[in-house]
Structures are given as C-alpha cells and as structure tokens.
Amino acid sequence: MMNTQIERYVALHRSFGRKFDVQDRLLRQFARYADGFGDRQIKAERLYDWCRSASSQNVARDRFDHLRRFCLYAHAEDQQHEVPPAGVFGSGKRRRPTPHIIEPEQLGAIMQAALDLPPEGKISRYTYHYLFGLLATTGLRISEALALQRGDIADDGLIVRNGKFGKQRLVPILSSTREALDTYLDIRRRLGASGDDLFVTTRGRAPHQTVVHIVFVRLARKLGFRGPTGTPGIRIHDLRHTFAVRSLESCSRDREAIRHHMAALSAYLGHADVANTYWYLEATPVLLRDIAVAGEQLFLGDAA
C-alpha cells in the first residue's frame, strides 16, 4: 500500500516537470525498511529510527525532510499515517558554500595542467581541458555540460536539453568558444574517441559528475589554489559563479540596464527564479561594495 502511494506521489511531482529521482529512491528505501517490520502505514518512530541510521547529520536531515513531505501527502489520504513534527533532525536550509572568484590566470593554469593528466595519448586529458574552458565561458551547470551531445552544437549556440527541472534552452556562444569545440572534436576524431556524448573519456561516455569534481579539486590543490583535504577552496561550480559575477560587473550602473541585464542573465543561466540570479549580488564582495556605496549615497542625498 505504501508503494502505491509513493508511485502516485512521485508521478504527481514529475507531472510538474521535476525529475524527483532522489526522492523516489529514498521513499522506496524507507518503504522496504518499514515493510520489514510489517508496517502498512507510516509510523513516526520507525521514520526516526531509519533517519538515525544515516551516515551523517546532513543525510539524516535530508531523509527526514523528504519523508515528512510524503507523510503529509499520505496522511491526507489516510489519517492512520503519522506525520512527525517539523525540524526533528534540524531545520532551515543548508548554507551555500562560500563562493570564490577564479582568476583568468588560475583557470589557464588548471586547463593547462589538465593536458598532463594520464593516460598519455588518450582523449581524457583533452576532455577535461575543453570541458573546464566551456564551463568558464558559458556558466553552464556541470550536469548540463556533461549531458551535451555532439548534435547539440547548433548554428546559434548550444542546445541544453537537460537543464534543471527538465527545461530546455539555447545558450549562445562566442565564435572563439565554437572554434575551441571544433578543435576538440577534431582531436576526438584523430584519437578515434567514439560516443554520442560531446565530452567523452576512453570509455566513449561522458565522465561522471563526481569524477569531474575530484579532478578539478586535485588540479587546484596541485597548483596551490586550494588547501589540503578538509579545507574549503575553489570548486568547479565556482566557474559558473565567476561567469555570473563577471557578467554583472560588466553591466552599466544604470538601474534600468541592470534590470534588463539580470533578466537576460537569469534566462541564460537557466534559473527558474530571477531571485537565484540576484543572489550573486549579495555573494560577491565587489558587487556588494558597489551596492553599499550606492545605498549610502542615496541615504546621504535624502538626508541632505
């Protein structure tokens, strides 16, 4: 019975364009756990026990939050399903990691270092070199870049078919970026690297997202751009952050121009809500300082 409700719950969310794969997996894991005790309805104590078995506090909180939302749905159909109180494993959104601006010299060094990755004479080193370059020049999410197919390079730019929430968009690119992609494809052909994915490893498929993160961090550490294991530092997502910040910094200080620029940047980055784009203002010291100066001038002008 619980699995039937899970199927309906997952189908409902997917009808809104959400992938919902993580939630589906967690819900079914809990259903199997509860079924082992013969439960036909959700019991709060059983839910607590399952969340406590998580590998960390953050994982336990994620489990609880996903499950509690399902409990509310299930309880609306059958009040025998128990709904635990909110915040049992912590409340509030997890803080975003501190963003870092990646300087052009750092990016160049990381891309160059990627060309020394093993194995020699294979496509992987070129894949990471050109992948890092594309992320820096387009601000694509790593998941979007890895999902690109060779046929997604269109006359007008890149066709992103697997954006967040399943959205598709066209991302215009500079002529220099297109030339770089053409060079990469020529290298692929010369090395006999097969596969429909745009960026491939020796297996003929795109590298796993986690592997790309690891490679980037290792290169950053090797070059001294990031501290030892366990310390924060630049991440591959900072390429997207840097792209957004540099774009905003280049915008004129005219309020109307900024408003139009923010709307265009939000669409280009594939944000579902322009508020997610405005976050780059508050997360960047340079832009925040400009906002503070403008606010102070406005205040002084009003006071006078």
Side-chain angles (χ1 to χ4, degrees), residues 191-238:
L191 295 178
S194 61
D196 294 329
D197 293 330
L198 175 57
F199 294 104
V200 296
T201 62
T202 54
R203 298 177 303 162
R205 297 193 299 272
H208 193 277
Q209 184 172 325
T210 301
V211 175
V212 178
H213 281 279
I214 292 172
V215 169
F216 185 86
V217 169
R218 284 179 177 172
L219 292 177
R221 284 203 177 103
K222 181 180 178 181
L223 294 166
F225 301 148
R226 183 176 172 130
T229 303
T231 59
I234 63 173
R235 307 164 301 135
I236 196 164
H237 189 72
D238 287 318

Side-chain angles (χ1 to χ4, degrees), residues 4 14 21 63 66 147 156 164 197 226 258 265 269 273:
T4 301
R14 286 177 175 165
D21 293 339
R63 283 185 177 185
H66 289 312
D156 297 327
K164 203 168 184 178
D197 293 330
R226 183 176 172 130
I258 291 175
L265 180 60
L269 292 174
D273 189 333

Side-chain angles (χ1 to χ4, degrees), residues 233-275:
I234 63 173
R235 307 164 301 135
I236 196 164
H237 189 72
D238 287 318
L239 293 173
R240 177 173 168 86
H241 177 87
T242 300
F243 173 86
V245 168
R246 296 303 186 206
S247 174
L248 291 171
E249 287 179 343
S250 67
C251 183
S252 68
R253 296 301 186 261
D254 177 75
R255 289 186 182 182
E256 189 66 16
I258 291 175
R259 187 171 68 84
H260 288 296
H261 187 89
M262 292 295 289
L265 180 60
S266 183
Y268 187 90
L269 292 174
H271 283 159
D273 189 333
V274 73

